[in-house]
Amino acid sequence: MVFEKDLNLYATELRLGLPGSSEESIRISNKRALPDMNDDSGVAAAKKCDQETAPPTKAQVVGWPPIRSYRKNSLQTKKTEAETGGMYVKVSMDGAPYLRKIDLKVYKGYPELFKAMEDMFKFKVGKYSEREGYNGSEFVPTYEDKDGDWMLVGDVPWEMFINACKRLRIVRGSEARGLGCVV
Amino acid sequence: MHKKMAFSFPDEVLEHVFSFIQSDKDRNAVSMVCKSWYEIERWCRRKVFVGNCYAVSPRMVIRRFPEFRSIELKGKPHFADFNLVPDGWGGYVFPWIAEMAGAYPWLEEIRLKRMVVTDESLELIAKSFKNFKVLVLSSCEGFSTDGLAAIAASCKNLKELDLRDCEVDDLSAHWLSHFPETYTSLVSLNISCLGSDEASFSALERLVHRCTNLKTLRLNRAVPLDKIANILRHAPQLVEFGTGTYTADVRPDVYSDLAGVLSSCKELKSLSGFWDVIPDYLPAIYPVCSKLTSLNLSYATIQSPDLIKLVSHCPNLQRLLVLDYIEDSGLEVLASSCKDLQELRVFPSDPFGAEPNVSLTEQGLVAVSLGCPKLQSVLYFCRRMSNEALVTIARSRPNFTRFRLCIIEPKTADYLTLEPLDVGFGAIVQYCKDLRRLSLSGLLTDRVFEYIGTYAKKLEMLSVAFAGDSDLGLHHVLSGCESLRKLEIRDCPFGDKALLANAAKLETMRSLWMSSCAVSFAACKLLGQKMPRLNVEVIDERGPPDSRPENCPVDKLYIYRSIAGPRFDMPPFVWTMDEDSGLRLS
């Protein structure tokens, strides 16, 4: 066969790295080429090469395991929720230097949620009434729902709220006027 | 023109006889009997199948079959499903549509798989074929909802619109409203791949309401659970139904509505969808379970106990797709409940996790193989396997026609003996004499290929990854597998020798894919020169292969037989090796 002589060389140039990173892998394996090795040791040298160039971890191998992208995508969204086992949402407060995160699943209803928020940010929620919103507080709890609208916390049933709530924001009472707060 | 023998039938009689022959393979055989049969057959072939759109040109097909009504085309190689084929590789359907638009105004059916379909192509279809009835796009991409709107607006006789597993640019859900109010012929609609959050529910409802012949309806994830009852109420005649997202606030009225409307669907045989399932709503489908023959729960992230309850309600199940949440225990229940099971696919819920997250092992597959006498097709993702299990499976289930096993970690050995899984897969090919499709995984040496070459005489498609030791492995397969049509290989130490020694074999196959193997550029060139009826395409995103030494391995290689010669629509990273010793650059 025409390439008998060359087989030894190219066998040791076997590229086992990631697609796109092969320039380096080829350089490395060139250094290890031994002209009078037979096929078997050629492959062994290539395997050795592979170990020295650190084989890719499972997550990095392109197209492995062989799963379609739409399956991978559908699993990903579910995975983060399942992994943490909760419904974590960001909580911010006007004037506070950083945000917090809380797991809505942990609370059984609004009173518990408010208690947790009050403890976290050191403020008082005030009294809620359907007609007047929050009274007697400088701060008002609001949330962003699935449609991207900012709503007053407390108007809808708890189950509906935790399914709709994407993030929480504790705003100054003066800014919450538009959300139904009494002047 | 042809000699009429004393005992030959008139053409009309032969044509009538041929009309009973539908299968492509049989039609091809008929056409090879003699010249007159070839002539008669080609004029009356109504369905054309082209397994590789680059194997033949549109003009050649049209010239040979002047009166076909239905065409099926396949484009990209199978490994494109796993992102191994770079974007822009090819598989464009437009040239085909353009040629057919002129020649075949009466074309009725187009079925495409892994092709690039543009809005322009869809618009041309809508404009050109007045009696257009069936559009099935499987794993296609390149079009948007605008193209779909054109189809909806113009194809008055459309019966089937199936977009399974496509990647669609979701510009607007209002494309559905483009079906005119007078349009009622829809029989099958599969839009499960569409993403849009804003779905045109009222248009969908009205469409379902007026299309009283609708038998198949597969919705997309965006359709909420509480809308399904309204849609199904108008379609009690449905045979196949795919839900949207299967989660909602738990409300008794929504539940009873759904359960009520489902139980009035007396013809329902197949269910799918079930994204984001919450177990509370599952019992709503129990009333229809006893008639179900097909169930796709591969998006349902529910745990084993709920899956077991569901599956135990379905004694007539023939086809089940499910996540590995079902676990070995669930598969054991499946094995005892579903004696008619023919096809099982178990997908991994956490494919990239380092540790197993569920108790699904080789035992589940053994249980189903032992318990389900009609099981013939399996796709199974798991994390460990043994030769012993594979031998048991092979012995108990010799009727396998498709066996695809994916052990998630490459090169995983037999977990009991730490040996390669050669003997196990060897048993599969030895006992399953009708095996047509096989996918290998785990630690495998050249020996497994020796078994395959020796026993797998009916094997048509083989998928290999991270296996083998030397060219001998590839040689066994190419020289032994008489029925081989498609071979796809990645990350195996197979090189020039076996390929060049079996060059003639490649002309008897549809295609060969090799990526991250050891085939040199020089061998590719040689193959291209010596085999004019093969297109030898080198895919290499690192740059032109001749900018590296000739004995350098190419990144990806796709070889397929063709009577159309080299193609001209290649992107910059694909080179065809042909008779001219130089490269044909795109």
Side-chain angles (χ1 to χ4, degrees):
Chain A
M1 181 125 283
V2 180
F3 303 105
E4 210 84 50
K5 266 196 317 229
D6 294 340
L7 263 171
N8 302 330
L9 273 180
Y10 91 74
T12 55
E13 281 167 14
L14 181 64
R15 182 183 58 76
L16 292 169
L18 298 167
S21 65
S22 18
E23 305 279 21
E24 283 174 82
S25 312
I26 287 199
R27 253 192 295 122
I28 290 167
S29 38
N30 271 339
K31 288 186 190 144
R32 279 152 181 76
L34 297 173
D36 51 351
M37 276 159 74
N38 61 25
D39 256 18
D40 290 335
S41 31
V43 173
K47 282 193 176 142
K48 187 168 177 294
C49 216
D50 178 39
Q51 278 149 27
E52 273 155 315
T53 51
T57 61
K58 187 161 33 140
Q60 287 172 34
V61 177
V62 176
W64 191 268
I67 303 171
R68 306 286 306 270
S69 330
Y70 56 77
R71 277 197 194 284
K72 277 192 270 189
N73 296 342
S74 118
L75 287 176
Q76 241 135 40
T77 20
K78 202 57 202 177
K79 192 179 165 199
T80 7
E81 269 177 52
E83 201 146 58
T84 55
M87 285 170 131
Y88 279 91
V89 297
K90 290 185 192 169
V91 190
S92 64
M93 178 154 119
D94 289 354
Y98 49 81
L99 277 60
R100 303 299 301 269
K101 241 189 178 159
I102 58 170
D103 180 358
L104 292 176
K105 273 227 162 79
V106 164
Y107 310 106
K108 297 199 178 58
Y110 289 118
E112 283 184 3
L113 172 66
F114 292 153
K115 178 85 176 39
M117 285 167 72
E118 284 170 344
D119 286 342
M120 216 179 240
F121 288 97
K122 309 280 179 273
F123 76 107
K124 278 280 176 224
V125 169
K127 201 160 157 357
Y128 170 80
S129 76
E130 220 174 79
R131 205 166 71 86
E132 296 180 348
Y134 289 91
N135 248 342
S137 165
E138 205 195 320
F139 290 98
V140 172
T142 66
Y143 71 101
E144 184 183 6
D145 73 0
K146 285 189 169 135
D147 297 326
D149 298 320
W150 285 91
M151 316 284 291
L152 191 70
V153 173
D155 286 339
V156 300
W158 174 251
E159 281 295 317
M160 198 182 277
F161 162 72
I162 60 172
N163 280 315
C165 173
K166 273 172 50 187
R167 58 182 298 171
L168 286 159
R169 186 179 154 209
I170 306 165
V171 303
R172 291 186 199 289
S174 49
E175 282 174 34
R177 290 268 140 84
L179 290 169
C181 261
V182 159
V183 167
Chain B
M1 196 172 114
H2 51 262
K3 211 165 45 149
K4 272 201 155 73
M5 308 285 279
F7 47 79
S8 73
F9 293 116
D11 291 2
E12 304 78 48
V13 174
L14 278 172
E15 213 182 289
H16 182 70
V17 172
F18 292 171
S19 69
F20 294 101
I21 299 168
Q22 303 290 342
S23 115
D24 210 64
K25 267 174 78 175
D26 291 340
R27 280 263 169 178
N28 291 343
V30 159
S31 68
M32 305 261 275
V33 166
C34 63
K35 284 210 173 97
S36 66
W37 279 36
Y38 177 92
E39 273 302 307
I40 298 166
E41 193 283 319
R42 79 180 185 92
W43 278 96
C44 66
R45 189 175 303 207
R46 296 283 175 259
K47 290 175 77 139
V48 170
F49 171 76
V50 180
N52 175 2
C53 64
Y54 290 120
V56 69
S57 76
R59 210 160 284 180
M60 286 170 168
V61 173
I62 290 172
R63 208 164 48 217
R64 179 168 168 193
F65 301 113
E67 303 218 339
F68 68 83
R69 298 275 183 277
S70 155
I71 186 161
E72 183 175 346
L73 292 168
K74 295 188 182 183
K76 300 186 206 174
H78 173 241
F79 273 176
D81 284 356
F82 316 123
N83 304 322
L84 287 175
V85 177
D87 276 341
W89 173 84
Y92 306 104
V93 80
F94 189 79
W96 288 84
I97 309 291
E99 289 278 355
M100 292 188 298
Y104 282 4
W106 51 81
L107 188 68
E108 292 177 5
E109 304 182 356
I110 296 177
R111 292 176 172 80
L112 306 175
K113 188 167 187 178
R114 285 189 211 101
M115 293 197 77
V116 178
V117 182
T118 56
D119 285 344
E120 207 188 342
S121 305
L122 293 174
E123 280 150 23
L124 193 52
I125 292 172
K127 211 169 51 179
S128 318
F129 308 118
K130 294 304 160 203
N131 199 26
F132 196 66
K133 295 203 171 112
V134 172
L135 184 63
V136 177
L137 303 178
S138 173
S139 303
C140 294
E141 44 149 7
F143 60 102
S144 78
T145 43
D146 287 352
L148 296 176
I151 298 283
S154 309
C155 300
K156 302 188 184 351
N157 295 316
L158 193 70
K159 281 172 48 179
E160 202 175 320
L161 180 60
D162 185 334
L163 307 173
R164 59 182 76 157
D165 307 333
C166 287
E167 255 185 60
V168 184
D169 206 356
D170 247 312
L171 300 175
S172 151
H174 294 298
W175 69 273
L176 268 171
S177 334
H178 287 252
F179 281 111
E181 290 301 315
T182 50
Y183 168 75
T184 58
S185 33
L186 199 59
V187 173
S188 171
L189 181 66
N190 180 349
I191 50 170
S192 53
C193 65
L194 294 184
S196 70
D197 284 318
E198 152 238 349
S200 202
F201 301 130
S202 52
L204 183 59
E205 256 183 80
R206 284 198 314 274
L207 183 66
V208 171
H209 195 174
R210 64 182 187 271
C211 296
T212 52
N213 288 321
L214 195 64
K215 294 277 188 296
T216 298
L217 179 64
R218 306 240 189 238
L219 302 172
N220 57 328
R221 197 174 186 171
V223 179
L225 194 56
D226 51 2
K227 290 274 188 265
I228 284 182
N230 286 338
I231 292 170
L232 276 179
R233 222 183 302 279
H234 300 308
Q237 76 283 1
L238 277 182
V239 176
E240 300 182 322
F241 179 63
T243 74
T245 182
Y246 206 78
T247 190
D249 298 334
V250 183
R251 278 161 43 198
D253 56 319
V254 171
Y255 179 90
S256 55
D257 223 9
L258 181 64
V261 95
L262 273 170
S263 53
S264 65
C265 294
K266 305 281 182 214
E267 313 295 322
L268 215 47
K269 289 219 162 50
S270 164
L271 281 179
S272 63
F274 298 108
W275 284 279
D276 324 302
V277 178
I278 54 167
D280 302 75
Y281 275 107
L282 272 179
I285 72 171
Y286 286 173
V288 296
C289 281
S290 61
K291 292 222 184 84
L292 284 184
T293 56
S294 169
L295 188 52
N296 183 350
L297 294 168
S298 60
Y299 299 106
T301 48
I302 43 175
Q303 304 301 314
S304 188
D306 295 308
L307 284 166
I308 288 177
K309 255 191 264 171
L310 189 49
V311 146
S312 339
H313 277 83
C314 308
N316 290 311
L317 212 53
Q318 293 172 15
R319 185 169 186 261
L320 177 65
L321 279 66
V322 73
L323 285 170
D324 57 8
Y325 287 127
I326 196 169
E327 300 195 324
D328 290 338
S329 53
L331 290 174
E332 271 152 41
V333 173
L334 182 69
S336 57
S337 313
C338 304
K339 294 304 185 187
D340 276 349
L341 196 69
Q342 294 173 23
E343 181 180 351
L344 174 67
R345 298 193 190 203
V346 180
F347 296 98
S349 53
D350 186 16
F352 303 112
E355 295 300 316
N357 61 325
V358 290
S359 177
L360 180 104
T361 68
E362 81 286 1
Q363 292 308 317
L365 186 56
V366 170
V368 185
S369 305
L370 286 170
C372 301
K374 300 191 188 161
L375 190 65
Q376 47 169 283
S377 172
V378 141
L379 170 61
Y380 199 79
F381 284 82
C382 62
R383 287 193 147 86
R384 72 172 203 207
M385 188 49 61
S386 65
N387 284 308
E388 184 186 325
L390 283 170
V391 171
T392 305
I393 289 167
R395 284 209 169 117
S396 58
R397 207 44 47 230
N399 45 323
F400 271 126
T401 54
R402 282 176 294 252
F403 190 81
R404 297 158 70 187
L405 180 64
C406 181
I407 304 166
I408 291 180
E409 182 64 40
K411 303 196 189 173
T412 303
D414 176 327
Y415 77 97
L416 293 170
T417 64
L418 298 183
E419 283 173 1
L421 291 169
D422 300 336
V423 166
F425 279 105
I428 294 283
V429 292
Q430 195 184 340
Y431 287 98
C432 306
K433 300 201 189 308
D434 289 323
L435 197 67
R436 292 196 315 260
R437 184 165 178 187
L438 177 65
S439 299
L440 305 172
S441 57
L443 182 64
L444 298 164
T445 72
D446 284 346
R447 236 179 120 205
V448 73
F449 299 109
E450 197 180 344
Y451 287 131
I452 293 173
T454 306
Y455 293 108
K457 294 306 181 188
K458 297 247 178 85
L459 193 66
E460 296 178 9
M461 181 168 177
L462 179 64
S463 308
V464 187
F466 305 101
D469 310 309
S470 75
D471 272 64
L472 208 50
L474 181 57
H475 175 71
H476 283 309
V477 172
L478 289 177
S479 57
C481 296
E482 291 160 6
S483 312
L484 198 62
R485 290 189 299 115
K486 290 178 282 185
L487 180 57
E488 47 185 23
I489 302 172
R490 62 164 295 175
D491 294 273
C492 296
F494 299 148
D496 299 346
K497 275 172 145 171
L499 204 55
L500 294 172
N502 292 282
K505 169 73 175 177
L506 299 177
E507 262 189 33
T508 69
M509 294 165 53
R510 181 187 296 172
S511 65
L512 166 65
W513 169 279
M514 292 178 74
S515 56
S516 306
C517 294
V519 181
S520 72
F521 176 52
C524 295
K525 279 200 294 190
L526 188 61
L527 203 55
Q529 283 163 23
K530 292 283 157 100
M531 310 291 297
R533 285 184 303 198
L534 288 181
N535 278 0
V536 178
E537 291 182 9
V538 170
I539 302 166
D540 213 319
E541 290 175 291
R542 296 171 295 179
D546 61 356
S547 63
R548 287 177 290 277
E550 259 198 3
N551 48 20
C552 236
V554 298
D555 183 20
K556 295 168 183 173
L557 177 61
Y558 186 50
I559 302 172
Y560 56 91
R561 65 180 175 188
S562 175
I563 56 172
R567 56 185 178 114
F568 298 104
D569 60 356
M570 297 175 301
F573 51 82
V574 178
W575 292 267
T576 292
M577 318 283 109
D578 63 9
E579 295 101 88
D580 313 331
S581 54
L583 290 172
R584 167 112 32 153
L585 290 163
S586 64

